[in-house]
Amino acid sequence: MLVVLRTAHKTNLQQFIQTIFFGIVILLSAMPVTAEQNAMWRYTVRPGDNLITLGKTHLINPDDWKEVQRLNHIKNPYRMPAGKVLRVPLGLVKQGPASAEVIFVSGQVQWQQSATNFEPLKIGQKLGAGANIETKENSKVVIQFADETTAELSSNSIMSLDTMSLYSGGVMVDTKLRLQNGQLETHANPRHVEGNKIRVITPSAIAAVRGTKFRVTANQKATTQETLDGQVALSALDNEVVVNKGFGSKAELGKAPTPPVELLPAADTTNLKNQYEALPITFDMPKMQGATAWAGKIAVDAQSSQIVAENEMQGNRLVFVDIPDGQYYLSLRAKDKNGIAGYDASHQFTLNARPIQPEVVSPVLNSIVREDQPLLHWHSIAEAQLYAVEVATDADFKNLHEVKEVTGTSSKLDKKLMQGTYFWRVSSIAKNEQGQEDKGPA
């Protein structure tokens, strides 16, 4: 079974292929990876098996059992010990097309089959070889292949299904992916079926994957790869590095891959605030040795299925300019100087920034007032129908002197003030169509 990633438009893809050599291949197999032209299917002999029945059941030409006999040094084609593993050239095995199925879609994802027009991609859609997939901002899609491999394509990515093959009715699956741009996270061959392979092609390197879970991020200049489980052999310019679980590497176009480095740990989010009352939201990242940038997603669920905002920034901050009020989960990863991303961390928080808080006009902080019933004044907010005014004798507003709601942008206190220090604040109140009040931050 094969998956190819291409540009969203055929003309762009043709130009891309003419100018860039797709050089990164990620091959997942339970056995050591061999050259494609020498690829072998490893068949485990069952009780009662013989080479003649194997030829009739699994080979394109039944008489090619003789080639299998020669390769495996079998004296009697009618008698083979159960459990023996036979090497069978893949080119001799019956082969048919496979398909993939869309099992999750969020946001704007479109697809086309070969040269047809792009259409919205929906859950349950069957995809064949030649399908092109493109995700927009704050979007993602998860595709499942014949061997239950799942591939999650992130926002702003372009992928194609190249070729997908089933050997001998499904005893082995061969899947190929082409990732032109964006990020792909793959959980491959979850049942650990011997011989199943998945290959990912990007512009700048070749990788052979012997594990089950890994990330690949690519553009026209470089590829980064992180191994979350198993092992990946990343190669470029005839140089290969083995990337074990918990390590990552980078391959720039025309350069050898970097030596594997340990992935940065998941961030400690215990000091991040749980409540935010103003936009933009600024998350101050914890100090982490080796971290030069941060990538984050804000979603309504802990699994980041429904994404509302994404951002990546150099330094030790993540800023999100505009999201609706609500309860959210922040998923974040630190990145090192090579752009290799670390493990995920999650932080739950609440945003209540609307209606926008009014700006105080007078009296301002540390003012001295002579009146015992002073006039409080603030700027108007377009979406506010009411304003909530609070006066207290403490900064935490636990000891309230006066509380009221008014329609204008000023209010004279009803209760007289005694000599001393007071605090005041004002917040906007908007009403929905049902008349329910939504009170913003003060």
Side-chain angles (χ1 to χ4, degrees), residues 215 225-228 245-249 260-268 286-295 315 332-345:
R215 300 188 208 118
Q225 182 276 315
E226 298 103 26
T227 304
L228 305 177
K245 176 182 177 180
F247 286 78
S249 181
V261 296
E262 191 170 359
L263 300 183
L264 294 173
D268 181 0
K287 292 183 179 180
M288 182 181 294
Q289 185 175 0
T292 62
W294 293 85
L332 68 157
R333 301 170 182 165
K335 289 192 172 186
D336 66 14
K337 62 182 180 181
N338 285 320
I340 298 172
Y343 286 99
D344 289 331

Side-chain angles (χ1 to χ4, degrees), residues 17-171:
I17 293 176
Q18 289 170 356
T19 56
I20 301 288
F21 172 72
F22 286 100
I24 181 165
V25 176
I26 295 185
L27 170 63
L28 184 142
S29 174
M31 300 299 293
V33 179
T34 61
E36 189 168 354
Q37 61 269 29
N38 297 321
M40 292 285 177
W41 171 40
R42 285 165 170 79
Y43 176 79
T44 302
V45 176
R46 298 180 176 89
D49 275 351
N50 62 64
L51 288 180
I52 289 78
T53 57
L54 183 144
K56 292 178 180 179
T57 304
H58 298 294
L59 304 185
I60 300 171
N61 180 0
D63 289 339
D64 281 337
W65 64 264
K66 298 173 184 177
E67 176 65 14
V68 178
Q69 181 184 31
R70 185 188 66 80
L71 284 173
N72 294 274
H73 309 291
I74 298 173
K75 293 182 179 180
N76 187 345
Y78 293 95
R79 297 185 63 181
M80 296 183 295
K84 180 180 176 63
V85 178
L86 303 180
R87 295 184 304 122
V88 183
L90 208 53
L92 303 182
V93 181
K94 293 177 181 178
Q95 178 181 345
S99 64
E101 182 178 356
V102 177
I103 62 172
F104 180 83
V105 175
S106 177
Q108 293 180 295
V109 184
Q110 60 182 9
W111 79 292
Q112 68 170 178
Q113 185 68 50
S114 300
T116 60
N117 294 328
F118 274 92
E119 298 178 358
L121 191 57
K122 299 178 180 179
I123 294 175
Q125 177 69 53
K126 299 290 186 180
L127 303 173
N132 303 313
I133 303 164
E134 181 178 308
T135 60
K136 302 296 184 180
E137 187 175 1
N138 300 334
S139 303
K140 76 175 184 179
V141 60
V142 180
I143 300 170
Q144 187 174 63
F145 301 98
D147 62 349
E148 299 181 10
T149 288
T150 56
E152 179 182 309
L153 191 65
S154 298
S155 300
N156 302 313
S157 299
I158 300 172
M159 183 177 86
S160 300
L161 307 186
D162 191 7
T163 54
M164 300 183 291
S165 300
L166 286 173
Y167 288 90
S168 192
V171 295

Side-chain angles (χ1 to χ4, degrees), residues 210-264:
R210 301 177 177 89
T212 58
K213 194 171 183 181
F214 58 95
R215 300 188 208 118
V216 180
T217 305
N219 55 38
Q220 296 185 16
K221 296 181 179 179
T223 296
T224 57
Q225 182 276 315
E226 298 103 26
T227 304
L228 305 177
D229 191 19
Q231 189 180 75
V232 175
L234 185 67
S235 62
L237 297 179
D238 296 325
N239 292 278
E240 181 180 280
V241 295
V242 175
V243 186
N244 293 313
K245 176 182 177 180
F247 286 78
S249 181
K250 179 179 182 179
E252 295 182 86
L253 190 64
K255 296 182 180 180
T258 61
V261 296
E262 191 170 359
L263 300 183
L264 294 173

